[in-house]
């Protein structure tokens, strides 16, 4: 029993210079599809050693990235319908080879709050969610051609039971996404001082029409109940109650795996222009999703501290940040929520934004510590523990989740490296995780080797060494 997870794949990324067997660089001018990272990710999944045991595949959004072009000295977004169709065809190809259900979630690039243009027609702006519209349109055509094709696009909260111990719940997290808007306090004309910028204030994205047009979490009766003014806050309430209903119907699950697009917390590097010198420098770009944190806190209160129970292990799989990272997020109780008895919620977060889009640069541990200490108020009641050994920004790949062989109540998470940033194919090499897993399965002494390694872990000195490899940021 297992499944595959990846996200941030909807970009035919041509910045990777692939190499052939003679180590000669292939021309990037006009690339066939196999010269893009997403092709190799799909191919690696199709040929995974555990492909016959895979139950389903979860795709965590950002299924297409609109192209940025200039119009009247202003940057606008443009959708290339041919590229959208090509990407959706990759899902069709994946299903045909695996014959397993594919659950398709949406990201912030699907639920855009800005006008988008189609192809070369830059005269008439389209509705902001036209990228989502073209994706669903292509999927409908695929289903018409092959009615047995089981690619389920997100409409309401979805869930799958892996076995008696594990349940997987898929969320829409764009409804928790806020944008920061800078407001300026203008001085009187007689004062020569420059405009003073106030603190960034979060503002809800105006993308409710995307949910309304395609009936994603949106129900017509909601307009009467909320006086016709339905916002993202109402959709958050609807999704929260759907999740409560799912978990109440599955009361004895030891592993609860949530799947979404946006991380609870993540860090990356971003170029930013220095106001004094005008030079572009790399700075820390954080993502601290307080609305998503509030979702888990409220869910825990409604379920009588079930998420904080010692018998429940909580996992969260996401994307958005274009790298791979494993971390532990601890949400401490907040007095204003009155969540007594006071228990911590521990969430094992896996960021897999490595589906094929251009990779981000990860922030160093030192930079993250400096940023959190500087912005300590924003990270109140949260502990953030990064696993330094499970953190990559130099390769594309996917996450494989399966139950342990001798303990079906425990999950094993394995990141499969597929393509490096420099264009080296990793999953076919002898050193790849895919090949090593195959060699282990054929070994006669597999059980004995595993037993020895577990015995070593009980040694106090070894345990201390392993703890040091985990970088703690508070």
């Amino acid at each position: 029993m297992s499944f595959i997870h990846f996200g941030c794949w909807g970009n035919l990324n041509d910045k990777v210079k692939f190499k052939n067997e003679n180590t000669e660089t292939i021309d990037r001018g006009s690339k066939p599809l196999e010269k893009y990272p997403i092709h190799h990710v799909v191919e690696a999944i199709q040929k995974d050693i555990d492909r016959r045991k895979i139950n389903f595949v979860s795709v965590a959004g950002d299924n297409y990235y609109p192209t940025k072009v200039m119009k009247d000295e202003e940057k606008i977004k443009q959708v290339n319908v041919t590229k959208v169709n090509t990407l959706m065809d990759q899902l069709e190809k994946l299903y045909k080879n695996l014959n397993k259900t594919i659950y398709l979630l949406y990201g912030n690039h699907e639920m855009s709050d800005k006008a988008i243009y189609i192809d070369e027609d830059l005269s008439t702006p389209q509705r902001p969610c036209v990228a989502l519209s073209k994706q669903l349109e292509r999927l409908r055509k695929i289903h018409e051609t092959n009615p047995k094709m089981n690619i389920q696009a997100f409409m309401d909260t979805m869930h799958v039971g892996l076995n008696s111990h594990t349940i997987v719940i898929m969320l829409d997290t764009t409804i928790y996404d806020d944008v920061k808007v800078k407001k300026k306090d203008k001085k009187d004309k007689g004062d020569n001082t420059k405009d003073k910028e106030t603190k960034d204030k979060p503002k809800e994205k105006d993308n409710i029409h995307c949910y309304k047009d395609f009936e994603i979490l949106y129900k017509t009766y909601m307009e009467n109940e909320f006086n016709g003014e339905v916002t993202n806050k109402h959709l958050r309430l609807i999704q929260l109650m759907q999740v409560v209903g799912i978990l109440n119907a599955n009361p004895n699950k030891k592993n609860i795996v949530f799947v979404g697009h946006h991380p609870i917390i993540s860090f990356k590097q971003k170029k930013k222009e220095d106001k004094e010198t005008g030079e572009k420098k790399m700075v820390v770009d954080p993502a601290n999703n307080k609305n998503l944190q509030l979702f888990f806190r409220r869910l825990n209160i409604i379920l009588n501290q079930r998420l904080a129970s010692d018998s429940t292990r909580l996992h969260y799989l996401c994307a958005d940040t274009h790298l791979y990272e494993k971390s532990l997020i601890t949400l401490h109780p907040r007095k204003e929520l009155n969540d007594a008895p006071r228990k911590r919620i521990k969430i094992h977060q896996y960021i897999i934004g490595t589906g094929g889009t251009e990779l981000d640069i990860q922030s160093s541990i030192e930079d993250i510590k400096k940023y959190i200490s500087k912005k300590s108020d924003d990270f109140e009641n949260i502990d953030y523990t990064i696993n330094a050994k499970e953190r990559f920004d130099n390769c594309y790949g996917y996450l494989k989740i399966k139950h342990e062989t001798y303990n079906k109540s425990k999950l094993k998470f394995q990141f499969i490296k597929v393509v490096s940033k420099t264009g080296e194919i990793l999953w076919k090499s002898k050193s790849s995780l895919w090949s090593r897993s195959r060699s282990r399965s054929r070994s006669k002494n597999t059980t004995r080797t595993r037993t020895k390694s577990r015995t070593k872990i009980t040694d106090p000195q070894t345990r201390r060494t392993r703890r040091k490899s985990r970088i703690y940021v508070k």
Side-chain angles (χ1 to χ4, degrees):
M1 306 287 282
S2 63
F3 70 98
I4 299 294
H5 174 82
F6 67 91
C8 297
W9 62 287
N11 184 8
L12 297 178
N13 178 15
D14 65 347
K15 294 185 179 180
V16 178
K17 295 183 178 180
F18 286 89
K19 296 179 179 180
N20 59 16
E21 295 178 356
N22 299 323
T23 66
E24 296 176 356
T25 302
I26 297 173
D27 181 24
R28 294 192 305 159
S30 55
K31 283 190 173 186
L33 188 60
E34 57 267 20
K35 304 310 175 190
Y36 296 105
I38 179 57
H39 169 82
H40 293 278
V41 172
V42 170
E43 186 183 9
I45 294 173
Q46 292 171 172
K47 297 181 180 179
D48 192 287
I49 189 64
D50 294 322
R51 61 188 178 278
R52 294 180 181 177
K53 299 178 183 178
I54 293 173
N55 292 62
F56 64 91
V57 178
S58 64
V59 183
D62 278 359
N63 311 313
Y64 176 76
Y65 291 80
T67 307
K68 293 180 181 180
V69 296
M70 296 298 297
K71 180 192 176 187
D72 300 331
E73 299 181 356
E74 182 183 357
K75 282 186 178 181
I76 61 172
K77 291 184 177 181
Q78 181 186 50
V79 171
N80 186 312
V81 179
T82 303
K83 287 185 178 181
V84 173
N85 295 340
T86 301
L87 290 162
M88 293 301 106
D89 290 346
Q90 286 290 298
L91 294 181
E92 181 185 14
K93 176 184 174 183
L94 183 60
Y95 179 85
K96 284 181 178 179
N97 283 274
L98 289 179
N99 196 26
K100 304 294 182 181
T101 304
I102 298 176
Y103 294 97
L104 185 66
L105 306 184
Y106 310 128
N108 50 294
H109 286 277
E110 276 77 41
M111 303 296 186
S112 175
D113 59 345
K114 296 180 181 179
I116 297 179
Y117 297 78
I118 296 179
D119 292 335
E120 302 301 325
D121 182 15
L122 302 182
S123 58
T124 308
Q126 304 291 323
R127 293 295 294 270
C129 45
V130 68
L132 173 61
S133 173
K134 295 302 177 184
Q135 290 176 35
L136 296 177
E137 184 180 321
R138 184 62 177 179
L139 288 177
R140 278 194 295 269
K141 289 182 179 179
I142 291 173
H143 282 290
E144 289 173 3
T145 306
N146 186 357
K148 294 183 179 180
M149 190 81 63
N150 196 4
I151 302 176
Q152 296 189 21
F154 186 94
M155 291 298 164
D156 279 305
T157 308
M158 302 182 290
H159 69 283
V160 183
L162 274 185
N163 61 9
S164 58
H165 303 287
T166 304
I167 188 170
V168 182
I169 302 175
M170 280 152 274
L171 308 171
D172 178 272
T173 57
T174 308
I175 56 177
Y176 305 106
D177 191 23
D178 287 337
V179 291
K180 290 184 177 180
V181 179
K182 289 185 178 180
K183 294 184 178 180
K184 293 183 178 181
D185 294 330
K186 293 186 177 180
K187 301 292 181 179
D188 295 333
K189 293 181 180 179
D191 195 347
N192 294 326
T193 56
K194 294 182 179 179
D195 295 347
K196 183 180 179 182
E197 290 187 353
T198 60
K199 289 184 177 180
D200 293 351
K201 295 184 177 180
K203 179 183 176 182
E204 280 196 10
K205 284 190 173 182
D206 185 21
N207 55 8
I208 191 67
H209 54 273
C210 293
Y211 294 91
K212 182 178 179 180
D213 291 350
F214 301 100
E215 296 184 355
I216 301 170
L217 292 173
Y218 193 102
K219 312 301 176 188
T220 52
Y221 69 82
M222 294 170 62
E223 297 179 3
N224 296 327
E225 291 191 7
F226 302 116
N227 299 321
E229 296 181 1
V230 181
T231 65
N232 285 351
K233 290 182 179 179
H234 299 119
L235 297 183
R236 293 171 196 166
L237 178 61
I238 293 295
Q239 183 162 249
L240 176 63
M241 299 317 297
Q242 288 179 354
V243 174
V244 169
I246 292 169
L247 290 177
N248 282 336
N250 298 272
N252 300 319
K253 300 294 184 181
K254 294 183 179 180
N255 301 304
I256 303 176
V257 183
F258 287 96
V259 180
H261 177 72
H262 296 80
I264 301 170
I265 299 175
S266 72
F267 290 87
K268 65 179 181 181
Q269 294 296 102
K270 186 178 181 180
K271 282 186 178 181
K272 190 174 182 181
E273 187 176 337
D274 193 306
K275 294 180 180 179
E276 297 179 358
T277 62
E279 296 180 358
K280 288 188 176 182
K281 296 182 178 179
M282 299 298 290
V283 297
V284 175
D285 183 27
N288 184 17
N289 199 319
K290 294 185 178 181
N291 292 325
L292 194 53
Q293 296 164 22
L294 187 60
F295 162 79
F296 285 107
R297 293 181 188 277
R298 285 176 172 170
L299 183 62
N300 186 49
I301 294 171
I302 295 173
L303 296 175
N304 296 321
Q305 306 293 327
R306 178 179 169 184
L307 300 187
S309 171
D310 294 335
S311 61
T312 302
R313 193 170 178 89
L314 200 60
H315 306 273
Y316 180 60
L317 315 183
C318 55
D320 193 51
T321 309
H322 304 163
L323 47 79
Y324 170 71
E325 181 185 280
K326 177 183 176 181
S327 60
L328 174 64
I329 297 172
T330 306
L331 302 178
H332 294 276
R334 286 167 48 181
K335 293 181 180 179
E336 59 269 27
L337 289 178
N338 193 26
D339 45 356
R342 306 184 67 77
K343 292 185 178 181
R344 301 172 297 174
I345 307 172
K346 292 184 177 182
I347 305 172
H348 300 266
Q349 177 179 268
Y350 296 83
I351 303 174
I352 309 94
T354 54
T357 305
E358 186 178 357
L359 295 170
D360 290 324
I361 301 173
Q362 64 185 15
S363 300
S364 66
I365 303 299
E366 291 73 20
D367 288 342
I368 295 175
K369 285 182 177 180
K370 288 179 183 178
Y371 185 90
I372 290 181
S373 62
K374 185 179 179 181
K375 303 279 187 178
S376 56
D377 293 342
D378 293 338
F379 294 89
E380 190 178 5
N381 298 318
I382 300 173
D383 289 342
Y384 180 46
T385 307
I386 300 173
N387 189 327
K389 290 184 178 181
E390 295 279 346
R391 197 166 182 251
F392 310 113
D393 64 349
N394 59 354
C395 60
Y396 300 91
Y398 60 92
L399 189 70
K400 182 163 61 175
I401 305 95
K402 60 181 180 180
H403 291 96
E404 289 190 359
T405 307
Y406 302 104
N407 189 348
K408 297 298 182 182
S409 64
K410 289 188 177 181
L411 292 176
K412 182 180 180 181
F413 296 81
Q414 184 182 24
F415 180 68
I416 308 297
K417 298 179 181 180
V418 177
V419 179
S420 71
K421 213 172 188 177
T422 57
E424 182 184 357
I425 308 298
L426 301 174
W427 70 277
K428 292 182 180 180
S429 65
K430 292 182 180 180
S431 60
S432 69
L433 292 173
W434 183 85
S435 297
R436 277 189 283 158
S437 64
R438 183 171 64 174
S439 63
R440 282 199 200 103
S441 64
R442 293 180 178 178
S443 175
K444 295 181 179 179
N445 300 322
T446 304
T447 307
R448 186 179 299 175
T449 306
R450 286 179 178 174
T451 306
K452 287 182 179 180
S453 63
R454 287 177 180 173
T455 306
K456 289 181 181 179
I457 293 175
T458 58
D459 181 57
Q461 185 65 33
T462 309
R463 182 169 290 181
R464 280 198 294 272
T465 307
R466 288 202 171 190
R467 282 177 180 167
K468 286 181 182 179
S469 67
R470 291 188 174 187
I471 309 301
Y472 180 76
V473 182
K474 184 175 180 180

